[in-house]
Amino acid sequence: MKKEKDMNAKQLNQQYSIISLLDQNGFQPTSKRGDNYWYISMIRDPEKNASFKVNINKNLWYDHAIGVGGTLIDLACLILKNKDVKEVIRLITGKFSSFQPQPPVQVSKQPSNNKLRIVKEGYIQDPRLIDYLNARGISLEAANQHCTELIYSNQGRFFKGVGFKNQSGGYELRSKGFKSCIAPKDLSFVENGRANLIVFEGFMDFLSYRMLPVFHVADASVLILNSISLVGRASKYLSAFPAKFLFLDNDQSGMNAAAQINQLYPRVVDMSLFYTGYKDLNEFLTQNSKCDEQKSAAKAV
């Protein structure tokens, strides 16, 4: 069995190039010097200067910062955090053809043992995720301050998404056409002041708030429910702050939650009145951004 695995690994290294594998999966070189392509390392914490080298002639890689190198299969094992060579070969030659933003998934009513599993996390840099954020009106700078790029597995396939961490170590997960979470599900809290608490339903609304200075509340910490159904868990945060500012959705669930919070706690300000006519704060941001772009284009004509 070992001989068969070794033979397969050798054939894989002969048939597939490391730079092609990296390119297919969203990793681009920062520079090229002769036979050497230099990358920001994808097997450890993000770095400022590229120290990960791939020799395209020998089809070998070397990470100068940690003194580790090897073949394509060695690199794949590190990226996937999987020591089972046979399984990694199967993923590369079969389903592991490309990291893609997760497509829409039909929700099954049948129980399943297939769970989303984090493979790697780091700064958001995949062009498709950046395009997704831009379409939502969110700058990369704002997103990288609070979110992470997750490489995760789902039913034997691998994808990338924007992750937002909660208080229990789980993640809310977003990409184009996909919305899910990596368990456990919980609230998210960002401590940033003692006088006021700002409450959002989802983290995209929080990032939208970051893009809208006109709405900013001074000396305020942030609570993201991550689901309106979790409002019952928010009592310790809502009780701890003198004033609460609610940026919930303009739908029945959002209005019910706002009414519930207003009834139970003093000094509650419903900020959704300022984006009446829009589904939520993100829709307000994107629609008004389009209007500003159209006005700028008209002036330029």
Side-chain angles (χ1 to χ4, degrees):
M1 180 63 72
K2 184 178 185 299
K3 184 176 180 181
E4 181 182 348
K5 287 184 181 180
D6 291 342
M7 178 68 72
N8 287 337
K10 184 177 180 180
Q11 291 173 349
L12 186 75
N13 286 312
Q14 292 174 342
Q15 295 174 12
Y16 291 78
S17 73
I18 292 174
I19 59 167
S20 294
L21 181 71
L22 292 175
D23 179 68
Q24 289 173 1
N25 297 301
F27 300 109
Q28 300 297 322
T30 60
S31 63
K32 304 174 184 177
R33 305 171 204 165
D35 289 340
N36 296 322
Y37 284 40
W38 292 86
Y39 294 79
I40 299 295
S41 181
M42 69 294 300
I43 61 173
R44 51 186 170 81
D45 292 337
E47 58 186 356
K48 292 183 179 179
N49 300 314
S51 60
F52 185 97
K53 179 181 73 177
V54 177
N55 185 296
I56 60 172
N57 185 39
K58 298 178 180 179
N59 200 32
L60 296 173
W61 61 272
Y62 189 80
D63 193 321
H64 286 265
I66 56 176
V68 173
T71 63
L72 181 146
I73 194 67
D74 297 322
L75 178 58
C77 288
L78 287 171
I79 291 175
L80 298 176
K81 296 181 180 179
N82 190 338
K83 296 181 180 180
D84 186 337
V85 174
K86 187 175 181 180
E87 173 68 9
V88 171
I89 290 173
R90 185 187 68 80
L91 292 171
I92 293 175
T93 57
K95 296 180 180 179
F96 184 48
S97 58
S98 175
F99 286 129
Q100 297 287 342
Q102 173 76 53
V105 176
Q106 295 294 325
V107 178
S108 173
K109 294 183 180 180
Q110 299 298 321
S112 174
N113 292 324
N114 294 317
K115 296 180 179 179
L116 303 184
R117 181 178 64 84
I118 297 173
V119 176
K120 183 177 173 63
E121 59 181 294
Y123 291 115
I124 300 169
Q125 57 184 1
D126 187 281
R128 291 160 294 191
L129 295 181
I130 295 172
D131 288 344
Y132 165 71
L133 290 167
N134 289 339
R136 301 292 298 266
I138 310 300
S139 72
L140 181 60
E141 179 184 7
N144 266 325
Q145 286 181 7
H146 301 281
C147 304
T148 186
E149 178 176 298
L150 294 181
I151 298 175
Y152 63 99
S153 65
N154 183 16
Q155 298 183 355
R157 300 182 64 190
F158 294 83
F159 307 94
K160 282 184 178 180
V162 177
F164 186 77
K165 199 169 188 177
N166 64 39
Q167 297 306 103
S168 295
Y171 284 88
E172 293 299 305
L173 193 58
R174 302 289 184 275
S175 59
K176 185 177 179 181
F178 183 72
K179 179 178 180 180
S180 188
C181 71
I182 295 177
K185 184 89 170 178
D186 201 357
L187 310 168
S188 298
F189 178 69
V190 181
E191 189 169 2
N192 196 36
R194 298 182 178 181
N196 303 303
L197 180 68
I198 314 171
V199 183
F200 300 94
E201 185 168 333
F203 78 89
M204 276 296 168
D205 291 317
F206 167 51
L207 296 179
S208 300
Y209 167 87
R210 289 289 315 278
M211 304 301 299
L212 294 164
V214 67
F215 285 128
H216 285 191
V217 178
D219 193 19
S221 290
V222 177
L223 179 68
I224 300 95
L225 300 175
N226 291 322
S227 172
I228 209 70
S229 64
L230 299 183
V231 68
R233 298 186 189 181
S235 58
K236 74 172 184 178
Y237 300 101
L238 294 167
S239 301
F241 290 84
K244 279 71 67 175
F245 294 80
L246 309 182
F247 288 85
L248 304 181
D249 291 2
N250 275 319
D251 57 16
Q252 193 59 52
S253 296
M255 290 186 284
N256 290 343
Q260 179 182 343
I261 294 171
N262 190 54
Q263 184 177 10
L264 294 173
Y265 304 94
R267 297 183 63 187
V268 175
V269 181
D270 188 352
M271 299 295 289
S272 67
L273 297 173
F274 293 98
Y275 47 95
T276 299
Y278 299 90
K279 175 183 177 293
D280 53 29
L281 197 59
N282 183 250
E283 186 175 277
F284 175 88
L285 169 65
T286 55
Q287 293 300 320
N288 283 277
S289 295
K290 289 178 182 178
C291 291
D292 292 340
E293 290 173 3
Q294 290 171 355
K295 288 178 183 178
S296 298
K299 289 181 180 179
V301 173

